[in-house]
Amino acid sequence: MAIRTIKDVDLTGKTVLIRLDLNVPLSDGKVTDDTRIIAALPSLRYLLDNGSALIVCSHLGRPKAREPEFSLAPVASRLQQHLGLSISMVDKVVGERAYKAAKALHPGDVLLLENTRYEKGETKNDPQIAQGLAKLADAFVNDAFGTAHRAHASNVGVATIMRQTGRPAVAGFLLEKEIEFLDQAVQKPEKPFVAIIGGAKISGKIDVIQNLANRVDKLLLGGGMANTFLAAQGYEMGDSLVESDKVDQAHDLLDEFGDQIVLPVDGVLADSFSDEADSKEANVTDITEGWRMLDIGPSTLNLFEYHLKDARTVVWNGPMGVFEFPRFAAGTLQVARLLGPITRSGGTTIIGGGDSAAAIVQAGLRDQVSHISTGGGASLEMLEGKILPGIAALDTI
């Protein structure tokens, strides 16, 4: 799907509502990781340089009511520092105060609306909220890939109304970049194409595995989800996490895609689910009661490295072990380090958000991969081959 972007429309002198993903971590009222804010800057600067007035909206967390700890006020302060200009903020999303603040803007001004999820109907795509947002601006820009797989009022609802009333509803640079990389991986990857899928469970990733297995040369599986596949092969997994109700599905996937799927051959075992647990390395044939696999082992890393060494396209989503425990993060970090040489040799390496992205940053390899997605759930759905509603609602070429 080819969609229009901010480069395809003249927004000079226009008031632009831009949906960003400013769902950043906070501690003591301060932003602790501004990666998503930095990712939004190119679109903001482009629009400001071209004479637009900006109204920024975003969600933050999952507030059940108007809880102060979910206010975007700390985000406004950090965004102000990055842009080097004063940002005004209104404590509403829609309504008279938001409307008056929007109409008072001049080219070069930036207004931040309060957390969109303070409005109960936001996540239900409430038409009244969408109408209220549409009243604020002459055009809409969606640059929030992290919510593109959800049909909310602040992305799908407002975009739909904008298009119905003849006003632009286009993508920002970040959304454009996400689509470009992920669409390339799914539709026209340079071969050999290798996917790495991890995480605790296969429940939410069966469709991804199915879709990618049809397209990749090799599909490397790690994390807790690999345990279920190993159990499907008949291995005893001791106290390891195994989704017993998914073993049959794992068995069917192995029957169908056995030539593509590569499973761990060894792991780092622990005698309890704790960073303080006793641990040992063992082959997957030697996991006994009282022990659980919490990370992939050195032989598995060698196997994965073998399959990655000639790869020209790599997509990675999900950690190889219990990444939150430092003692069981080595497999994930080592896989992260395998991607740098692929990128430097001209290959394409795409990280699908979440713990995979954290591993890349922790390993100091942010600049050694082609693309780090800002949306874990959205990237997964694109890898499933789905058309995301937040993208489908925009103007097409």
Side-chain angles (χ1 to χ4, degrees):
M1 172 186 282
I3 58 171
R4 291 208 296 171
T5 75
I6 52 178
K7 293 176 295 186
D8 299 317
V9 291
D10 182 7
L11 298 174
T12 305
K14 305 292 187 183
T15 299
V16 177
L17 175 69
I18 182 166
R19 176 56 159 100
L20 301 179
D21 182 3
L22 303 177
N23 184 29
V24 298
L26 303 176
S27 179
D28 296 325
K30 294 183 179 179
V31 175
T32 58
D33 182 349
D34 59 2
T35 301
R36 288 180 173 172
I37 296 174
I38 293 169
L41 295 178
S43 291
L44 296 176
R45 287 177 175 145
Y46 176 87
L47 291 165
L48 291 170
D49 289 345
N50 283 275
S52 299
L54 301 185
I55 303 167
V56 177
C57 67
S58 175
H59 76 286
L60 178 64
R62 300 187 179 196
K64 295 179 181 177
R66 198 177 176 85
E67 300 164 282
E69 61 266 33
F70 292 105
S71 171
L72 282 170
V75 177
S77 299
R78 185 63 66 90
L79 186 58
Q80 190 166 268
Q81 292 172 17
H82 281 296
L83 289 175
L85 51 80
S86 178
I87 294 176
S88 57
M89 184 172 176
V90 63
D91 65 349
K92 299 293 288 183
V93 178
V94 292
E96 191 64 24
R97 287 209 295 277
Y99 181 78
K100 284 183 177 179
K103 294 308 168 185
L105 295 173
H106 297 94
D109 289 345
V110 181
L111 170 69
L112 177 65
L113 304 179
E114 189 49 283
N115 191 341
T116 57
R117 289 189 182 172
Y118 279 176
E119 299 289 341
K120 290 183 179 178
E122 152 71 342
T123 58
K124 298 176 182 177
N125 196 8
D126 187 316
Q128 287 190 319
I129 297 172
Q131 288 279 5
L133 287 167
K135 282 177 61 178
L136 303 179
D138 305 310
F140 173 69
V141 174
N142 190 350
D143 215 19
F145 180 70
T147 57
H149 60 313
R150 305 291 186 222
H152 292 172
S154 66
N155 60 358
V156 171
V158 68
T160 302
I161 292 168
M162 287 289 188
R163 294 178 66 190
Q164 289 171 346
T165 53
R167 289 174 284 174
V170 299
F173 292 135
L174 177 60
L175 187 61
E176 179 187 29
K177 183 181 178 185
E178 295 272 14
I179 295 168
E180 176 188 341
F181 274 99
L182 290 164
D183 191 58
Q184 174 190 336
V186 173
Q187 302 299 336
K188 46 184 184 299
E190 184 182 358
K191 298 280 192 169
F193 178 21
V194 178
I196 310 165
I197 304 295
K201 297 182 178 181
I202 70 169
S203 308
K205 297 185 178 179
I206 288 173
D207 290 340
V208 177
I209 293 169
Q210 181 91 32
N211 189 49
L212 287 176
N214 277 304
R215 301 170 186 272
V216 298
D217 296 285
K218 291 297 176 182
L219 180 59
L220 315 182
L221 298 184
M225 67 156 52
N227 300 337
T228 302
F229 282 88
L230 291 167
Q233 288 187 322
Y235 292 109
E236 293 295 329
M237 297 306 297
D239 292 354
S240 302
L241 173 66
V242 172
E243 292 176 272
S244 56
D245 61 331
K246 302 298 180 186
V247 169
D248 287 344
Q249 282 181 287
H251 191 276
D252 291 344
L253 287 167
L254 288 168
D255 277 349
E256 187 174 0
F257 302 110
D259 291 340
Q260 283 82 27
I261 293 174
V262 180
L263 292 171
V265 294
D266 68 339
V268 181
L269 310 186
D271 62 358
S272 66
F273 189 77
S274 166
D275 197 34
E276 307 300 321
D278 288 337
S279 63
K280 64 180 181 180
E281 293 173 2
N283 292 331
V284 296
T285 54
D286 300 322
I287 302 174
T288 56
E289 188 176 348
W291 293 89
R292 65 197 72 204
M293 190 155 78
L294 297 188
D295 197 7
I296 57 174
S299 295
T300 301
L301 278 166
N302 290 336
L303 180 63
F304 284 7
E305 183 175 12
Y306 171 80
H307 289 296
L308 285 165
K309 63 182 174 64
D310 296 321
R312 303 305 296 159
T313 303
V314 178
V315 172
W316 180 21
N317 185 287
M320 297 293 98
V322 185
F323 181 68
E324 59 268 32
F325 294 160
R327 289 179 59 211
F328 303 103
T332 303
L333 293 173
Q334 284 295 104
V335 168
R337 294 186 182 102
L338 295 176
L339 302 187
I342 299 169
T343 311
R344 289 193 295 274
S345 69
T348 300
T349 50
I350 302 166
I351 313 304
D355 285 334
S356 314
I360 290 291
V361 173
Q362 189 171 321
L365 300 173
R366 186 199 299 263
D367 298 327
Q368 296 189 44
V369 295
S370 306
H371 179 64
I372 300 177
S373 178
T374 55
S379 65
L380 277 176
E381 292 203 9
M382 279 202 74
L383 292 174
E384 288 174 31
K386 293 181 178 178
I387 296 174
L388 308 188
I391 296 171
L394 300 175
D395 293 338
T396 56
I397 295 174

